[in-house]
Amino acid sequence: MSARAIDEPHRVSSQLELLFDLTFVVAVAAATAQFAHDIADGHGLAGLVPFLQVFFAIWWAWMNFTWFASSYDTDDVAYRLLTMVQMAGVLVLAAGVPAAASHSAYGVITLGYLVMRIGLVAQWLRAGLEDPARRRTAFRYAGGIAFLQMGWLSRLVLVETGVLPSSFGLPFFVCLAALELAVPRWAERARATNWHPHHIAERYGLFTIILLGESVLAASRGVGRALETGEAGGPFFVIAGAGLILLFALWWLYFLGPAGDGLSDRRHRSYLWGYGHYGIFAALAALGAGLEVTVEKSGHDVAGSSPALGYAVAVPVGVYLALLWAVHLLVVTEPVMVPAVVLGCVAVVLSLPLATPWIGVAGVVAAIAAVCVLLVAVTIWTATAGARTGAGRLAEQRR
């Protein structure tokens, strides 16, 4: 298992990586469905923290494999088998999502994480044995991951036996999560791994598409429940159409500019860029839950109030736009998105639910979609104008 070249040409996601991503579709769908259920019952705020905890577990498992594979994807028999062990762990984790989100029972999720960590630690140990140049880095990864997995098991035992009060469960989780985020930084100080910038950018783009697809799936569940009542009217069609346009706009904004070149030139910012995507990914998953409930409400009543449903769509969109601009700014020389325009759109989106008593949930969703479409149009126009100005200056210089 030797490290792959940083500048390897035509590096793309392998078939095994795509199969690996499919297992996360199940986990994300389970988390989104449970959060949508909480919003529909009027307990969206209460369900937010469990949702973010569960989604952190899903996202961090995907992150661990993705960055390892970018450096050490040998695609031999041992690598494939250990990756499949991790896939099995993801499916176990997905099975435990409903219990974790609704009852804070993390036993099955912890078991799934244990299975995944066994496969990942074995991968890092193998890399350390077979890549002497980065042996210390690989063993640091293996040791850090194994140590923290013991921490997660200890947390589960202490909470389940009552030794640790339930009120300490969240602070314990935050501490362990912070240590998890610190392991790559600590391990890479020995010697950096050979992750491929264009490969990483593609992997993140593919996961973004998966989450947008999950939003479409979640909205389609709401459409199905609304149609079952036979009372779907004008608001139903407005929300369904506006929701689809909104997802198109969010996709367009994410892929306005390639991130691979920026990551190649600014590898030292990869941590902030990669970790910042937690908020982007979580926002997309939460948006799927919000759209599911708003579409469902257009067909029949749900316990959640109309302003709360408006915020269930507005807040994820606002978080997504703000974090996308911040993450994009880390890896580009000339920002494509104009800060004042982005922040203005975020402010408008977050204020729109206040108008729910007058324009209804359907009007709020349609207005949010319109703001995002406007942001896409302004960004494209600004980029085009900038390109024309640059070309004009170059032509003048040549004269």
Side-chain angles (χ1 to χ4, degrees):
M1 179 174 277
S2 58
R4 298 185 67 158
I6 293 177
D7 56 352
E8 181 181 339
H10 311 298
R11 179 73 188 277
V12 295
S13 299
S14 67
Q15 288 85 354
L16 185 61
E17 287 177 309
L18 298 177
L19 178 62
F20 184 84
D21 287 352
L22 286 179
T23 61
F24 281 87
V25 171
V26 180
V28 173
T32 302
Q34 182 59 47
F35 190 42
H37 181 73
D38 292 335
I39 296 172
D41 289 344
H43 307 302
L45 285 178
L48 179 60
V49 171
F51 167 76
L52 293 176
Q53 288 179 276
V54 169
F55 194 83
F56 177 86
I58 296 169
W59 167 77
W60 190 241
W62 179 85
M63 281 270 293
N64 275 245
F65 169 79
T66 295
W67 288 81
F68 175 86
S70 190
S71 301
Y72 289 105
D73 184 0
T74 54
D75 199 32
D76 57 6
V77 173
Y79 177 85
R80 288 186 176 190
L81 291 177
L82 289 173
T83 299
M84 290 175 182
V85 169
Q86 294 178 69
M87 292 182 197
V90 175
L91 294 177
V92 174
L93 182 151
V97 166
S102 58
H103 308 297
S104 296
Y106 291 92
V108 178
I109 282 187
T110 304
L111 174 61
Y113 237 70
L114 176 61
V115 174
M116 284 188 293
R117 289 304 177 83
I118 290 173
L120 184 61
V121 169
Q123 295 272 41
W124 277 116
L125 289 175
R126 183 187 174 203
L129 292 173
E130 300 182 13
D131 183 15
R134 295 166 184 80
R135 178 167 296 163
R136 189 179 178 190
T137 299
F139 285 170
R140 280 191 176 192
Y141 269 112
I145 292 169
F147 175 77
L148 285 171
Q149 185 56 41
M150 296 300 297
W152 291 113
L153 291 172
S154 300
R155 174 185 180 275
L156 176 65
V157 172
L158 293 175
V159 170
E160 292 294 329
T161 57
V163 175
L164 185 70
S166 58
S167 59
F168 283 82
L170 180 59
F172 205 153
F173 179 95
V174 172
C175 289
L176 287 173
L179 290 174
E180 289 277 3
L181 296 175
V183 167
R185 187 72 173 180
W186 169 67
E188 300 272 337
R189 289 179 65 182
R191 183 168 180 175
T193 52
N194 279 18
W195 54 270
H196 194 290
H198 294 279
H199 175 250
I200 287 293
E202 184 198 30
R203 298 290 294 128
Y204 273 71
L206 289 174
F207 202 66
T208 299
I209 292 173
I210 286 175
L211 290 168
L212 288 168
E214 291 286 358
S215 295
V216 173
L217 175 62
S220 68
R221 288 196 297 261
V223 168
R225 284 193 286 269
L227 291 176
E228 286 175 0
T229 64
E231 300 179 359
F236 165 80
F237 293 105
V238 170
I239 294 176
L244 188 60
I245 293 172
L246 172 61
L247 294 176
F248 288 162
L250 298 183
W251 171 87
W252 202 307
L253 288 169
Y254 186 90
F255 293 101
L256 273 171
D261 291 338
L263 284 173
S264 180
D265 297 335
R266 299 169 178 81
R267 294 180 71 89
H268 62 287
R269 294 184 177 178
S270 60
Y271 293 100
L272 291 175
W273 185 87
Y275 290 171
H277 272 75
Y278 167 71
I280 292 174
F281 291 160
L284 286 177
L287 175 60
L291 288 175
E292 178 178 350
V293 181
T294 54
V295 174
E296 181 181 356
K297 182 179 175 59
S298 65
H300 62 84
D301 290 334
V302 296
S305 65
S306 294
L309 298 188
Y311 280 113
V313 175
V315 172
V317 171
V319 171
Y320 175 88
L321 295 178
L323 286 179
L324 181 61
W325 167 74
V327 166
H328 177 76
L329 193 63
L330 291 170
V331 295
V332 296
T333 305
E334 298 182 2
V336 178
M337 303 173 71
V338 180
V341 176
V342 175
L343 296 178
C345 288
V346 170
V348 172
V349 166
L350 293 178
S351 64
L352 280 171
L354 297 174
T356 305
W358 297 278
I359 62 177
V361 176
V364 170
V365 175
I368 292 172
V371 170
C372 292
V373 170
L374 179 62
L375 177 58
V376 172
V378 171
T379 304
I380 292 174
W381 180 83
T382 303
T384 303
R388 290 176 178 173
T389 302
R393 290 175 180 174
L394 181 60
E396 290 179 2
Q397 291 174 0
R398 289 178 177 176
R399 292 175 185 175

